[in-house]
Amino acid sequence: MNLDKFWQKRNKKIFTTFELQTKTFAPLIIISHYEIVCTFFNSKSASIYCILSEDNNSGGKDINTKYIKQEKSLYTVYYVKDTSWTKMGSLAYDITLANNQLTLSNVYTPKDNGKTTTHISVADAQTLKPISYTSDRKETKLNLDFTDPITGNYYSKKTKKDKKLKLNPTEPFIDFNWTDHMIGTLPLDVGYKARFFQFYYNDESKVLTEPYSVKEVKSFSYYSPRTGKHDTWLVTVSEESTGAVYNYIIDKKGPPTLATRNVDG
């Protein structure tokens, strides 16, 4: 499994897992702020990509970033297939606040302590409107300034060539690196619905933003072996371009947040 290519696919992040609960169609992975965070699961029937979601939002009036806290965290990453678990590496998160800007850094280190993969996103601390993004992967480097238009530089380590970027997305958007932290910042309630666009740069695609919809929010009772019973929101999000469905579990009382992300289809 090529993790560098894996990381380059939008939303396809992997973390660590604490509890796996199988449903009739797609498995559901539960994670907690204090427990462990995610897993990549692949089977003949479904693929699941889970991510820690502490609080999230897309940059509109519904965003409440007070739930995004400054913190550092470290997780173990596994590749899970059927009953086989293979440790792939570790993932370190660092969220900081300064000058009304939130910075989210995540660094993936493979188990052999090889080349790390780094993503750093800076956003407005009130709206999560993107300010800048940098990444350093095995084969590429990317730097973006979210001005109007977006400017930046894409560097291929294979060809040793720079490519100057000038990008003009047509919709308001959130940086993909913040999407999962955004969901928990929304004013969730039964019947709540929303739509947002996520920005992700892929040098092999002309598509800059893709739409996601919050399809359903309902009450859900979750019991954690470590932290007990939680009254939560079960949030169903649809990736409109692919039909993939992501489920998040968000603690109604705020952090620590339970978060899950699984893909149906």
Side-chain angles (χ1 to χ4, degrees):
M1 181 182 183
N2 188 321
L3 279 180
D4 193 57
K5 289 183 179 179
F6 180 78
W7 271 93
Q8 293 182 45
K9 295 180 180 179
R10 183 186 60 262
N11 292 326
K12 305 303 185 286
K13 305 176 192 174
I14 54 179
F15 298 78
T16 209
T17 187
F18 178 72
E19 180 175 345
L20 175 62
Q21 184 177 37
T22 303
K23 299 296 182 182
T24 55
F25 176 61
L28 178 66
I29 295 176
I30 308 294
I31 45 189
S32 157
H33 179 74
Y34 289 121
E35 289 170 5
I36 299 183
V37 182
C38 261
T39 188
F40 168 68
F41 174 88
N42 196 347
S43 70
K44 294 180 181 178
S45 61
S47 296
I48 305 173
Y49 304 92
C50 298
I51 358 190
L52 170 68
S53 170
E54 235 166 55
D55 303 305
N56 303 4
N57 238 339
S58 63
K61 62 182 180 180
D62 286 352
I63 295 174
N64 189 342
T65 58
K66 72 178 184 180
Y67 296 113
I68 300 178
K69 304 300 182 182
Q70 298 186 76
E71 65 177 4
K72 293 184 179 181
S73 50
L74 178 65
Y75 304 100
T76 301
V77 181
Y78 293 92
Y79 172 71
V80 183
K81 185 175 182 181
D82 299 324
T83 59
S84 174
W85 290 59
T86 304
K87 182 178 178 179
M88 304 305 296
S90 62
L91 182 67
Y93 268 93
D94 190 3
I95 298 176
T96 58
L97 172 65
N99 301 318
N100 201 35
Q101 295 181 355
L102 282 165
T103 299
L104 170 61
S105 171
N106 66 64
V107 180
Y108 172 75
T109 304
K111 63 181 180 181
D112 60 0
N113 291 317
K115 174 61 180 176
T116 59
T117 299
T118 303
H119 302 265
I120 301 175
S121 294
V122 180
D124 183 274
Q126 303 302 314
T127 65
L128 286 188
K129 181 179 180 180
I131 296 173
S132 67
Y133 169 81
T134 62
S135 68
D136 187 356
R137 300 180 172 122
K138 183 178 180 180
E139 298 179 355
T140 64
K141 284 186 177 182
L142 176 64
N143 297 282
L144 295 173
D145 288 317
F146 289 100
T147 51
D148 187 13
I150 299 170
T151 58
N153 185 77
Y154 176 86
Y155 175 72
S156 170
K157 297 179 182 180
K158 280 189 173 181
T159 63
K160 300 188 183 305
K161 291 183 178 180
D162 279 305
K163 180 179 180 180
K164 299 298 181 183
L165 302 176
K166 189 176 182 180
L167 310 173
N168 292 281
T170 57
E171 304 88 5
F173 58 85
I174 185 171
D175 175 2
F176 83 100
N177 206 31
W178 277 107
T179 298
D180 304 295
H181 285 74
M182 182 221 25
I183 299 299
T185 68
L186 299 174
L188 301 173
D189 203 346
V190 174
Y192 176 81
K193 295 183 183 299
R195 190 170 188 255
F196 60 92
F197 286 81
Q198 176 181 269
F199 177 94
Y200 179 83
Y201 179 77
N202 180 349
D203 194 55
E204 299 178 353
S205 173
K206 293 182 179 180
V207 177
L208 296 175
T209 62
E210 293 195 11
Y212 290 74
S213 297
V214 177
K215 291 293 187 182
E216 184 180 30
V217 179
K218 56 186 179 182
S219 291
F220 182 78
S221 182
Y222 168 66
Y223 180 80
S224 162
R226 294 193 179 185
T227 57
K229 182 181 178 181
H230 294 261
D231 291 324
T232 70
W233 297 116
L234 177 60
V235 185
T236 300
V237 179
S238 171
E239 184 177 11
E240 296 180 12
S241 63
T242 64
V245 175
Y246 304 87
N247 291 312
Y248 294 82
I249 296 175
I250 309 295
D251 198 317
K252 290 182 179 181
K253 295 181 179 179
T257 307
L258 304 175
T260 176
R261 194 158 134 91
N262 72 298
V263 179
D264 295 348

PDB file of all heavy atoms in Angstrom, residues 111-145:
ATOM      1  N   LYS A 111       6.150   3.648   9.947  1.00  0.00           N
ATOM      2  CA  LYS A 111       6.688   2.824  11.023  1.00  0.00           C
ATOM      3  C   LYS A 111       8.187   2.610  10.919  1.00  0.00           C
ATOM      4  O   LYS A 111       8.857   2.332  11.908  1.00  0.00           O
ATOM      5  CB  LYS A 111       5.966   1.483  11.072  1.00  0.00           C
ATOM      6  CG  LYS A 111       6.144   0.627   9.822  1.00  0.00           C
ATOM      7  CD  LYS A 111       5.380  -0.672   9.950  1.00  0.00           C
ATOM      8  CE  LYS A 111       5.531  -1.548   8.713  1.00  0.00           C
ATOM      9  NZ  LYS A 111       4.771  -2.811   8.825  1.00  0.00           N
ATOM     10  N   ASP A 112       8.738   2.738   9.687  1.00  0.00           N
ATOM     11  CA  ASP A 112      10.178   2.561   9.529  1.00  0.00           C
ATOM     12  C   ASP A 112      10.939   3.858   9.751  1.00  0.00           C
ATOM     13  O   ASP A 112      12.134   3.950   9.464  1.00  0.00           O
ATOM     14  CB  ASP A 112      10.492   1.996   8.139  1.00  0.00           C
ATOM     15  CG  ASP A 112      10.030   2.908   7.008  1.00  0.00           C
ATOM     16  OD1 ASP A 112       9.469   3.988   7.300  1.00  0.00           O
ATOM     17  OD2 ASP A 112      10.224   2.552   5.831  1.00  0.00           O
ATOM     18  N   ASN A 113      10.198   4.893  10.260  1.00  0.00           N
ATOM     19  CA  ASN A 113      10.778   6.213  10.506  1.00  0.00           C
ATOM     20  C   ASN A 113      11.344   6.826   9.236  1.00  0.00           C
ATOM     21  O   ASN A 113      12.321   7.589   9.268  1.00  0.00           O
ATOM     22  CB  ASN A 113      11.866   6.150  11.586  1.00  0.00           C
ATOM     23  CG  ASN A 113      11.295   5.850  12.951  1.00  0.00           C
ATOM     24  OD1 ASN A 113      10.261   6.406  13.328  1.00  0.00           O
ATOM     25  ND2 ASN A 113      11.927   4.948  13.681  1.00  0.00           N
ATOM     26  N   GLY A 114      10.708   6.506   8.097  1.00  0.00           N
ATOM     27  CA  GLY A 114      11.121   7.061   6.817  1.00  0.00           C
ATOM     28  C   GLY A 114      10.610   8.482   6.641  1.00  0.00           C
ATOM     29  O   GLY A 114      10.335   9.208   7.610  1.00  0.00           O
ATOM     30  N   LYS A 115      10.439   8.887   5.394  1.00  0.00           N
ATOM     31  CA  LYS A 115      10.031  10.244   5.067  1.00  0.00           C
ATOM     32  C   LYS A 115       8.668  10.581   5.648  1.00  0.00           C
ATOM     33  O   LYS A 115       7.691   9.867   5.443  1.00  0.00           O
ATOM     34  CB  LYS A 115      10.004  10.408   3.535  1.00  0.00           C
ATOM     35  CG  LYS A 115       9.445  11.743   3.035  1.00  0.00           C
ATOM     36  CD  LYS A 115      10.280  12.926   3.524  1.00  0.00           C
ATOM     37  CE  LYS A 115       9.702  14.231   3.005  1.00  0.00           C
ATOM     38  NZ  LYS A 115      10.430  15.411   3.537  1.00  0.00           N
ATOM     39  N   THR A 116       8.587  11.687   6.371  1.00  0.00           N
ATOM     40  CA  THR A 116       7.320  12.108   6.951  1.00  0.00           C
ATOM     41  C   THR A 116       6.469  12.851   5.913  1.00  0.00           C
ATOM     42  O   THR A 116       6.990  13.360   4.915  1.00  0.00           O
ATOM     43  CB  THR A 116       7.547  13.031   8.153  1.00  0.00           C
ATOM     44  OG1 THR A 116       8.287  14.189   7.726  1.00  0.00           O
ATOM     45  CG2 THR A 116       8.318  12.308   9.245  1.00  0.00           C
ATOM     46  N   THR A 117       5.187  12.881   6.159  1.00  0.00           N
ATOM     47  CA  THR A 117       4.254  13.654   5.347  1.00  0.00           C
ATOM     48  C   THR A 117       3.653  14.724   6.234  1.00  0.00           C
ATOM     49  O   THR A 117       3.080  14.425   7.277  1.00  0.00           O
ATOM     50  CB  THR A 117       3.137  12.758   4.783  1.00  0.00           C
ATOM     51  OG1 THR A 117       3.716  11.754   3.956  1.00  0.00           O
ATOM     52  CG2 THR A 117       2.155  13.576   3.960  1.00  0.00           C
ATOM     53  N   THR A 118       3.790  15.992   5.808  1.00  0.00           N
ATOM     54  CA  THR A 118       3.369  17.112   6.642  1.00  0.00           C
ATOM     55  C   THR A 118       2.341  17.981   5.928  1.00  0.00           C
ATOM     56  O   THR A 118       2.496  18.297   4.751  1.00  0.00           O
ATOM     57  CB  THR A 118       4.585  17.990   7.010  1.00  0.00           C
ATOM     58  OG1 THR A 118       5.566  17.197   7.672  1.00  0.00           O
ATOM     59  CG2 THR A 118       4.167  19.146   7.913  1.00  0.00           C
ATOM     60  N   HIS A 119       1.286  18.342   6.659  1.00  0.00           N
ATOM     61  CA  HIS A 119       0.277  19.281   6.175  1.00  0.00           C
ATOM     62  C   HIS A 119       0.125  20.373   7.221  1.00  0.00           C
ATOM     63  O   HIS A 119      -0.062  20.075   8.401  1.00  0.00           O
ATOM     64  CB  HIS A 119      -1.075  18.604   5.979  1.00  0.00           C
ATOM     65  CG  HIS A 119      -1.066  17.450   5.031  1.00  0.00           C
ATOM     66  ND1 HIS A 119      -1.396  17.571   3.709  1.00  0.00           N
ATOM     67  CD2 HIS A 119      -0.780  16.148   5.221  1.00  0.00           C
ATOM     68  CE1 HIS A 119      -1.318  16.392   3.115  1.00  0.00           C
ATOM     69  NE2 HIS A 119      -0.938  15.507   4.023  1.00  0.00           N
ATOM     70  N   ILE A 120       0.162  21.643   6.803  1.00  0.00           N
ATOM     71  CA  ILE A 120      -0.039  22.755   7.717  1.00  0.00           C
ATOM     72  C   ILE A 120      -1.053  23.713   7.101  1.00  0.00           C
ATOM     73  O   ILE A 120      -0.830  24.242   6.010  1.00  0.00           O
ATOM     74  CB  ILE A 120       1.279  23.502   8.011  1.00  0.00           C
ATOM     75  CG1 ILE A 120       2.308  22.548   8.630  1.00  0.00           C
ATOM     76  CG2 ILE A 120       1.018  24.683   8.945  1.00  0.00           C
ATOM     77  CD1 ILE A 120       3.670  23.179   8.830  1.00  0.00           C
ATOM     78  N   SER A 121      -2.158  23.914   7.817  1.00  0.00           N
ATOM     79  CA  SER A 121      -3.212  24.802   7.333  1.00  0.00           C
ATOM     80  C   SER A 121      -3.454  25.917   8.335  1.00  0.00           C
ATOM     81  O   SER A 121      -3.573  25.665   9.533  1.00  0.00           O
ATOM     82  CB  SER A 121      -4.509  24.018   7.118  1.00  0.00           C
ATOM     83  OG  SER A 121      -4.374  23.082   6.080  1.00  0.00           O
ATOM     84  N   VAL A 122      -3.552  27.140   7.825  1.00  0.00           N
ATOM     85  CA  VAL A 122      -3.848  28.302   8.653  1.00  0.00           C
ATOM     86  C   VAL A 122      -5.200  28.849   8.219  1.00  0.00           C
ATOM     87  O   VAL A 122      -5.472  29.004   7.024  1.00  0.00           O
ATOM     88  CB  VAL A 122      -2.767  29.390   8.513  1.00  0.00           C
ATOM     89  CG1 VAL A 122      -3.106  30.594   9.396  1.00  0.00           C
ATOM     90  CG2 VAL A 122      -1.399  28.826   8.876  1.00  0.00           C
ATOM     91  N   ALA A 123      -6.070  29.131   9.198  1.00  0.00           N
ATOM     92  CA  ALA A 123      -7.407  29.629   8.895  1.00  0.00           C
ATOM     93  C   ALA A 123      -7.800  30.719   9.878  1.00  0.00           C
ATOM     94  O   ALA A 123      -7.246  30.815  10.976  1.00  0.00           O
ATOM     95  CB  ALA A 123      -8.417  28.481   8.950  1.00  0.00           C
ATOM     96  N   ASP A 124      -8.759  31.539   9.483  1.00  0.00           N
ATOM     97  CA  ASP A 124      -9.298  32.566  10.365  1.00  0.00           C
ATOM     98  C   ASP A 124      -9.911  31.908  11.598  1.00  0.00           C
ATOM     99  O   ASP A 124     -10.681  30.949  11.486  1.00  0.00           O
ATOM    100  CB  ASP A 124     -10.350  33.385   9.618  1.00  0.00           C
ATOM    101  CG  ASP A 124     -10.899  34.513  10.462  1.00  0.00           C
ATOM    102  OD1 ASP A 124     -11.855  34.261  11.229  1.00  0.00           O
ATOM    103  OD2 ASP A 124     -10.384  35.637  10.355  1.00  0.00           O
ATOM    104  N   ALA A 125      -9.598  32.428  12.771  1.00  0.00           N
ATOM    105  CA  ALA A 125     -10.010  31.782  14.011  1.00  0.00           C
ATOM    106  C   ALA A 125     -11.507  31.888  14.276  1.00  0.00           C
ATOM    107  O   ALA A 125     -12.043  31.142  15.096  1.00  0.00           O
ATOM    108  CB  ALA A 125      -9.247  32.382  15.190  1.00  0.00           C
ATOM    109  N   GLN A 126     -12.202  32.797  13.591  1.00  0.00           N
ATOM    110  CA  GLN A 126     -13.634  32.955  13.792  1.00  0.00           C
ATOM    111  C   GLN A 126     -14.471  32.232  12.745  1.00  0.00           C
ATOM    112  O   GLN A 126     -15.555  31.721  13.038  1.00  0.00           O
ATOM    113  CB  GLN A 126     -13.996  34.454  13.784  1.00  0.00           C
ATOM    114  CG  GLN A 126     -13.257  35.269  14.823  1.00  0.00           C
ATOM    115  CD  GLN A 126     -13.484  34.760  16.234  1.00  0.00           C
ATOM    116  OE1 GLN A 126     -14.626  34.482  16.613  1.00  0.00           O
ATOM    117  NE2 GLN A 126     -12.422  34.658  17.022  1.00  0.00           N
ATOM    118  N   THR A 127     -13.977  32.168  11.515  1.00  0.00           N
ATOM    119  CA  THR A 127     -14.781  31.644  10.404  1.00  0.00           C
ATOM    120  C   THR A 127     -14.201  30.403   9.744  1.00  0.00           C
ATOM    121  O   THR A 127     -14.876  29.770   8.939  1.00  0.00           O
ATOM    122  CB  THR A 127     -14.918  32.715   9.314  1.00  0.00           C
ATOM    123  OG1 THR A 127     -13.619  32.982   8.741  1.00  0.00           O
ATOM    124  CG2 THR A 127     -15.501  34.007   9.884  1.00  0.00           C
ATOM    125  N   LEU A 128     -12.959  30.064  10.043  1.00  0.00           N
ATOM    126  CA  LEU A 128     -12.215  28.988   9.373  1.00  0.00           C
ATOM    127  C   LEU A 128     -11.972  29.281   7.892  1.00  0.00           C
ATOM    128  O   LEU A 128     -11.650  28.379   7.118  1.00  0.00           O
ATOM    129  CB  LEU A 128     -12.906  27.633   9.529  1.00  0.00           C
ATOM    130  CG  LEU A 128     -12.814  26.985  10.905  1.00  0.00           C
ATOM    131  CD1 LEU A 128     -13.380  25.569  10.859  1.00  0.00           C
ATOM    132  CD2 LEU A 128     -11.384  26.957  11.421  1.00  0.00           C
ATOM    133  N   LYS A 129     -12.110  30.534   7.504  1.00  0.00           N
ATOM    134  CA  LYS A 129     -11.767  30.901   6.135  1.00  0.00           C
ATOM    135  C   LYS A 129     -10.284  30.657   5.924  1.00  0.00           C
ATOM    136  O   LYS A 129      -9.444  31.106   6.709  1.00  0.00           O
ATOM    137  CB  LYS A 129     -12.086  32.375   5.883  1.00  0.00           C
ATOM    138  CG  LYS A 129     -11.779  32.823   4.458  1.00  0.00           C
ATOM    139  CD  LYS A 129     -12.146  34.288   4.258  1.00  0.00           C
ATOM    140  CE  LYS A 129     -11.821  34.724   2.829  1.00  0.00           C
ATOM    141  NZ  LYS A 129     -12.171  36.151   2.603  1.00  0.00           N
ATOM    142  N   PRO A 130      -9.908  29.910   4.872  1.00  0.00           N
ATOM    143  CA  PRO A 130      -8.500  29.555   4.669  1.00  0.00           C
ATOM    144  C   PRO A 130      -7.603  30.776   4.463  1.00  0.00           C
ATOM    145  O   PRO A 130      -7.988  31.739   3.793  1.00  0.00           O
ATOM    146  CB  PRO A 130      -8.530  28.684   3.411  1.00  0.00           C
ATOM    147  CG  PRO A 130      -9.918  28.158   3.341  1.00  0.00           C
ATOM    148  CD  PRO A 130     -10.785  29.273   3.869  1.00  0.00           C
ATOM    149  N   ILE A 131      -6.419  30.708   5.032  1.00  0.00           N
ATOM    150  CA  ILE A 131      -5.408  31.757   4.867  1.00  0.00           C
ATOM    151  C   ILE A 131      -4.213  31.218   4.094  1.00  0.00           C
ATOM    152  O   ILE A 131      -3.748  31.840   3.130  1.00  0.00           O
ATOM    153  CB  ILE A 131      -4.977  32.311   6.234  1.00  0.00           C
ATOM    154  CG1 ILE A 131      -6.169  33.006   6.911  1.00  0.00           C
ATOM    155  CG2 ILE A 131      -3.802  33.281   6.080  1.00  0.00           C
ATOM    156  CD1 ILE A 131      -5.900  33.449   8.329  1.00  0.00           C
ATOM    157  N   SER A 132      -3.709  30.049   4.499  1.00  0.00           N
ATOM    158  CA  SER A 132      -2.565  29.460   3.789  1.00  0.00           C
ATOM    159  C   SER A 132      -2.536  27.957   4.022  1.00  0.00           C
ATOM    160  O   SER A 132      -3.156  27.443   4.952  1.00  0.00           O
ATOM    161  CB  SER A 132      -1.244  30.087   4.244  1.00  0.00           C
ATOM    162  OG  SER A 132      -0.970  29.754   5.596  1.00  0.00           O
ATOM    163  N   TYR A 133      -1.807  27.267   3.153  1.00  0.00           N
ATOM    164  CA  TYR A 133      -1.647  25.816   3.261  1.00  0.00           C
ATOM    165  C   TYR A 133      -0.281  25.425   2.708  1.00  0.00           C
ATOM    166  O   TYR A 133       0.158  25.939   1.677  1.00  0.00           O
ATOM    167  CB  TYR A 133      -2.738  25.092   2.465  1.00  0.00           C
ATOM    168  CG  TYR A 133      -2.506  23.601   2.309  1.00  0.00           C
ATOM    169  CD1 TYR A 133      -2.847  22.724   3.334  1.00  0.00           C
ATOM    170  CD2 TYR A 133      -1.920  23.082   1.160  1.00  0.00           C
ATOM    171  CE1 TYR A 133      -2.625  21.354   3.207  1.00  0.00           C
ATOM    172  CE2 TYR A 133      -1.698  21.721   1.025  1.00  0.00           C
ATOM    173  CZ  TYR A 133      -2.055  20.860   2.042  1.00  0.00           C
ATOM    174  OH  TYR A 133      -1.825  19.509   1.920  1.00  0.00           O
ATOM    175  N   THR A 134       0.403  24.532   3.408  1.00  0.00           N
ATOM    176  CA  THR A 134       1.664  23.979   2.908  1.00  0.00           C
ATOM    177  C   THR A 134       1.663  22.480   3.155  1.00  0.00           C
ATOM    178  O   THR A 134       1.115  21.994   4.138  1.00  0.00           O
ATOM    179  CB  THR A 134       2.893  24.602   3.604  1.00  0.00           C
ATOM    180  OG1 THR A 134       2.840  24.313   5.004  1.00  0.00           O
ATOM    181  CG2 THR A 134       2.945  26.101   3.394  1.00  0.00           C
ATOM    182  N   SER A 135       2.288  21.753   2.243  1.00  0.00           N
ATOM    183  CA  SER A 135       2.443  20.316   2.434  1.00  0.00           C
ATOM    184  C   SER A 135       3.802  19.887   1.916  1.00  0.00           C
ATOM    185  O   SER A 135       4.351  20.475   0.981  1.00  0.00           O
ATOM    186  CB  SER A 135       1.333  19.538   1.707  1.00  0.00           C
ATOM    187  OG  SER A 135       1.466  19.658   0.302  1.00  0.00           O
ATOM    188  N   ASP A 136       4.333  18.860   2.547  1.00  0.00           N
ATOM    189  CA  ASP A 136       5.613  18.282   2.139  1.00  0.00           C
ATOM    190  C   ASP A 136       5.430  16.774   2.143  1.00  0.00           C
ATOM    191  O   ASP A 136       5.341  16.154   3.198  1.00  0.00           O
ATOM    192  CB  ASP A 136       6.721  18.704   3.096  1.00  0.00           C
ATOM    193  CG  ASP A 136       8.104  18.256   2.606  1.00  0.00           C
ATOM    194  OD1 ASP A 136       8.189  17.558   1.571  1.00  0.00           O
ATOM    195  OD2 ASP A 136       9.104  18.602   3.270  1.00  0.00           O
ATOM    196  N   ARG A 137       5.375  16.201   0.929  1.00  0.00           N
ATOM    197  CA  ARG A 137       5.174  14.774   0.769  1.00  0.00           C
ATOM    198  C   ARG A 137       6.417  14.150   0.159  1.00  0.00           C
ATOM    199  O   ARG A 137       7.387  14.838  -0.156  1.00  0.00           O
ATOM    200  CB  ARG A 137       3.957  14.514  -0.124  1.00  0.00           C
ATOM    201  CG  ARG A 137       2.648  15.065   0.405  1.00  0.00           C
ATOM    202  CD  ARG A 137       1.527  14.735  -0.556  1.00  0.00           C
ATOM    203  NE  ARG A 137       0.217  15.073  -0.027  1.00  0.00           N
ATOM    204  CZ  ARG A 137      -0.646  15.892  -0.608  1.00  0.00           C
ATOM    205  NH1 ARG A 137      -0.318  16.471  -1.753  1.00  0.00           N
ATOM    206  NH2 ARG A 137      -1.821  16.123  -0.063  1.00  0.00           N
ATOM    207  N   LYS A 138       6.351  12.852  -0.001  1.00  0.00           N
ATOM    208  CA  LYS A 138       7.489  12.113  -0.533  1.00  0.00           C
ATOM    209  C   LYS A 138       7.894  12.598  -1.914  1.00  0.00           C
ATOM    210  O   LYS A 138       9.083  12.717  -2.225  1.00  0.00           O
ATOM    211  CB  LYS A 138       7.170  10.618  -0.585  1.00  0.00           C
ATOM    212  CG  LYS A 138       8.331   9.750  -1.059  1.00  0.00           C
ATOM    213  CD  LYS A 138       7.941   8.282  -1.030  1.00  0.00           C
ATOM    214  CE  LYS A 138       9.102   7.406  -1.508  1.00  0.00           C
ATOM    215  NZ  LYS A 138       8.732   5.963  -1.487  1.00  0.00           N
ATOM    216  N   GLU A 139       6.906  12.920  -2.758  1.00  0.00           N
ATOM    217  CA  GLU A 139       7.198  13.275  -4.144  1.00  0.00           C
ATOM    218  C   GLU A 139       6.911  14.720  -4.494  1.00  0.00           C
ATOM    219  O   GLU A 139       7.287  15.182  -5.567  1.00  0.00           O
ATOM    220  CB  GLU A 139       6.401  12.361  -5.082  1.00  0.00           C
ATOM    221  CG  GLU A 139       6.773  10.888  -4.937  1.00  0.00           C
ATOM    222  CD  GLU A 139       5.957  10.001  -5.856  1.00  0.00           C
ATOM    223  OE1 GLU A 139       5.036  10.521  -6.534  1.00  0.00           O
ATOM    224  OE2 GLU A 139       6.237   8.790  -5.910  1.00  0.00           O
ATOM    225  N   THR A 140       6.227  15.476  -3.604  1.00  0.00           N
ATOM    226  CA  THR A 140       5.818  16.840  -3.948  1.00  0.00           C
ATOM    227  C   THR A 140       5.893  17.780  -2.755  1.00  0.00           C
ATOM    228  O   THR A 140       5.896  17.353  -1.603  1.00  0.00           O
ATOM    229  CB  THR A 140       4.377  16.867  -4.482  1.00  0.00           C
ATOM    230  OG1 THR A 140       3.483  16.440  -3.432  1.00  0.00           O
ATOM    231  CG2 THR A 140       4.226  15.964  -5.700  1.00  0.00           C
ATOM    232  N   LYS A 141       5.934  19.068  -3.074  1.00  0.00           N
ATOM    233  CA  LYS A 141       5.750  20.139  -2.094  1.00  0.00           C
ATOM    234  C   LYS A 141       4.714  21.105  -2.656  1.00  0.00           C
ATOM    235  O   LYS A 141       4.680  21.357  -3.865  1.00  0.00           O
ATOM    236  CB  LYS A 141       7.062  20.889  -1.835  1.00  0.00           C
ATOM    237  CG  LYS A 141       8.064  20.159  -0.958  1.00  0.00           C
ATOM    238  CD  LYS A 141       9.252  21.058  -0.640  1.00  0.00           C
ATOM    239  CE  LYS A 141      10.233  20.377   0.303  1.00  0.00           C
ATOM    240  NZ  LYS A 141      11.372  21.276   0.654  1.00  0.00           N
ATOM    241  N   LEU A 142       3.881  21.649  -1.771  1.00  0.00           N
ATOM    242  CA  LEU A 142       2.842  22.568  -2.206  1.00  0.00           C
ATOM    243  C   LEU A 142       2.718  23.712  -1.217  1.00  0.00           C
ATOM    244  O   LEU A 142       2.692  23.503  -0.005  1.00  0.00           O
ATOM    245  CB  LEU A 142       1.498  21.835  -2.310  1.00  0.00           C
ATOM    246  CG  LEU A 142       0.271  22.666  -2.674  1.00  0.00           C
ATOM    247  CD1 LEU A 142       0.415  23.259  -4.077  1.00  0.00           C
ATOM    248  CD2 LEU A 142      -0.997  21.822  -2.574  1.00  0.00           C
ATOM    249  N   ASN A 143       2.660  24.929  -1.742  1.00  0.00           N
ATOM    250  CA  ASN A 143       2.455  26.117  -0.925  1.00  0.00           C
ATOM    251  C   ASN A 143       1.329  26.936  -1.547  1.00  0.00           C
ATOM    252  O   ASN A 143       1.378  27.234  -2.751  1.00  0.00           O
ATOM    253  CB  ASN A 143       3.732  26.973  -0.864  1.00  0.00           C
ATOM    254  CG  ASN A 143       4.885  26.252  -0.205  1.00  0.00           C
ATOM    255  OD1 ASN A 143       4.941  26.146   1.015  1.00  0.00           O
ATOM    256  ND2 ASN A 143       5.802  25.747  -0.996  1.00  0.00           N
ATOM    257  N   LEU A 144       0.348  27.316  -0.748  1.00  0.00           N
ATOM    258  CA  LEU A 144      -0.779  28.096  -1.245  1.00  0.00           C
ATOM    259  C   LEU A 144      -1.066  29.266  -0.320  1.00  0.00           C
ATOM    260  O   LEU A 144      -1.041  29.124   0.903  1.00  0.00           O
ATOM    261  CB  LEU A 144      -2.036  27.221  -1.342  1.00  0.00           C
ATOM    262  CG  LEU A 144      -2.021  26.060  -2.338  1.00  0.00           C
ATOM    263  CD1 LEU A 144      -3.275  25.216  -2.166  1.00  0.00           C
ATOM    264  CD2 LEU A 144      -1.900  26.565  -3.772  1.00  0.00           C
ATOM    265  N   ASP A 145      -1.350  30.432  -0.909  1.00  0.00           N
ATOM    266  CA  ASP A 145      -1.863  31.581  -0.182  1.00  0.00           C
ATOM    267  C   ASP A 145      -3.275  31.826  -0.697  1.00  0.00           C
ATOM    268  O   ASP A 145      -3.483  32.036  -1.903  1.00  0.00           O
ATOM    269  CB  ASP A 145      -0.994  32.821  -0.422  1.00  0.00           C
ATOM    270  CG  ASP A 145       0.347  32.726   0.266  1.00  0.00           C
ATOM    271  OD1 ASP A 145       0.372  32.294   1.436  1.00  0.00           O
ATOM    272  OD2 ASP A 145       1.371  33.073  -0.353  1.00  0.00           O
TER     273      ASP A 145
END
